[in-house]
Amino acid sequence: MEPQSQNLKTAPFLTLGRFHISEDYGFLLPNPLMPLLNCQFLTGYREWRLAHLVLSFITMGYVWQDGETQPKEILPRNLALPFVEVSKNLGLPPILLHSDLVLANWATRNPGGNLDTIFSFPGGESLRGFILVTVLVEKAAVPGIKALVQAVNAILQPSPDSLLQALQRLRVSIQDITGALGQMHDYVNPDVFYSVIRIFLSGWKDNPALPVGLVYEGVSKEPLSYSGGSAAQSTILHAFDEFLGVRHSKESADFLHRMRDYMPPSHRAFIEEICGAPSLRTHVLSSGNGQLLTAYNQCVESLAALRTYHLALVTKYLITAPSKAKARRTSHLPRPPQALEERGTGGSAVMSFLKSVRDKTLEALLHPSG
């Protein structure tokens, strides 16, 4: 009997608290509000970028969860404070960026290398296709980025053969980008993109749905305005333009330069490095090398062709799609957003902008003297 008596003394009494069961709420989690996220345990650039990706998706989902007619006008402090802290650490704005949606939002699903997204919004396979096709566009640009470096060094050395090879590689890369972009037709439904996906990429600058911007609670009492995610935030064409000496109209150039503020600072610095390098156009003209001039012009023509193709793609997804949506009397899709009709998610008047940058690209073609 003695051992049994000893067990009764040492055995703990049964309590609800041991099992995270509330005296007042039972199995319900009391006050299940999101806590203020702490950034102190983030280490290294990759983790900060991932944090920006996570917070940007939560933010866009929160702001646009009820569509453009009832956007949230205040971002709660438990989200606003960490998002702004992470953004300041990275030198990025606190909103969803191309560097989040695409550059940091992909993974290989299996040893075969099949791609998948990490985070998603509503939009299903069309959203997944939109993101991953853009990832493939960025991937197709890799040889072109390397070609820029080779070409700049070939001008500095100088090495005409190396420069010619670099220009030829750049042309092929630009053509491969166009080919990758074409996969949008296969994987992205225009109706789903326009009616479902697009709202979650929209920002609060130049957007009638949030005309004064968004209040970041605990950060600023005044609303802050930021542009939404845009292809113009990709570093690729900025770098190619600077290298080839393409000069855009003031309005287009102002928008493009503003989009550079939405790039990771190191990527922006790469563009500036290309901009500060010796002029390729001047070098090609002064060299009197016909092969270099031809190779240069082929790069410019390929870049203009890419922009023409992009123009056709945008027409399909942003101009034709809403016209079809208006013509439908019934549909399982939500009413398409009106605020940014015929405007890009970055806030630009998209068609006139794209036509202008395409036309100015063609103006960069060189003509041999004499």
Side-chain angles (χ1 to χ4, degrees), residues 40-296:
Q40 67 174 326
F41 298 110
L42 293 174
T43 58
Y45 181 71
R46 289 164 61 87
E47 287 191 10
W48 284 93
R49 284 286 298 274
L50 183 62
H52 199 279
L53 168 65
V54 173
L55 293 167
S56 66
F57 264 74
I58 297 171
T59 294
M60 303 311 266
Y62 176 80
V63 171
W64 300 116
Q65 60 184 302
D66 295 319
E68 67 167 0
T69 56
Q70 294 179 295
K72 305 300 182 190
E73 297 178 357
I74 300 174
L75 192 64
R77 64 186 297 117
N78 54 3
L79 183 53
L81 289 173
F83 197 13
V84 168
E85 182 182 348
V86 168
S87 298
K88 284 183 176 177
N89 179 280
L90 291 169
L92 294 171
I95 190 170
L96 178 75
L97 309 166
H98 177 81
S99 60
D100 300 307
L101 182 71
V102 177
L103 303 186
N105 192 30
W106 64 277
T108 47
R109 188 167 51 187
N110 51 41
N114 290 340
L115 294 175
D116 207 349
T117 54
I118 302 173
F119 295 101
S120 288
F121 292 122
E125 285 302 301
S126 283
L127 175 70
R128 184 171 170 272
F130 177 73
I131 295 170
L132 295 181
V133 168
T134 313
V135 168
L136 294 177
V137 166
E138 292 281 345
K139 193 77 172 64
V142 173
I145 296 166
K146 292 179 179 178
L148 295 195
V149 174
Q150 179 183 340
V152 169
N153 291 333
I155 294 171
L156 292 170
Q157 284 171 338
S159 173
D161 290 343
S162 180
L163 179 56
L164 179 62
Q165 184 187 61
L167 290 174
Q168 290 167 342
R169 287 176 176 172
L170 175 59
R171 173 181 55 80
V172 171
S173 178
I174 295 170
Q175 291 169 343
D176 288 345
I177 291 170
T178 307
L181 192 60
Q183 294 185 66
M184 285 287 179
H185 296 292
D186 301 322
Y187 295 104
V188 185
N189 181 306
D191 293 340
V192 174
F193 177 80
Y194 193 83
S195 300
V196 180
I197 298 169
R198 193 164 176 255
I199 187 72
F200 292 102
L201 311 182
S202 303
W204 24 97
K205 181 179 175 66
D206 301 325
N207 187 345
L210 277 170
V212 297
L214 180 73
V215 173
Y216 288 69
E217 191 178 58
V219 176
S220 170
K221 291 182 180 178
E222 297 299 318
L224 303 175
S225 294
Y226 298 106
S227 296
S230 168
Q233 295 169 5
S234 172
T235 308
I236 298 169
L237 296 190
H238 290 254
F240 291 176
D241 278 347
E242 291 293 354
F243 174 66
L244 294 170
V246 176
R247 294 290 171 257
H248 295 294
S249 68
K250 185 181 185 307
E251 188 178 1
S252 297
D254 288 347
F255 173 73
L256 287 167
H257 276 84
R258 183 159 63 80
M259 288 297 99
R260 292 183 188 182
D261 294 334
Y262 291 74
M263 298 176 187
S266 55
H267 297 178
R268 192 161 64 240
F270 178 73
I271 298 170
E272 290 164 0
E273 194 76 16
I274 296 295
C275 184
S279 167
L280 171 66
R281 288 170 60 84
T282 301
H283 181 83
V284 170
L285 279 172
S286 62
S287 71
N289 186 320
Q291 282 187 304
L292 285 180
L293 189 140
T294 298
Y296 169 87

Side-chain angles (χ1 to χ4, degrees), residues 312-334:
L313 207 63
V314 169
T315 301
K316 176 180 177 178
Y317 285 90
L318 294 189
I319 307 300
T320 308
S323 299
K324 288 183 177 178
K326 287 175 185 175
R328 287 195 306 265
R329 292 189 177 275
T330 57
S331 172
H332 65 286
L333 296 172

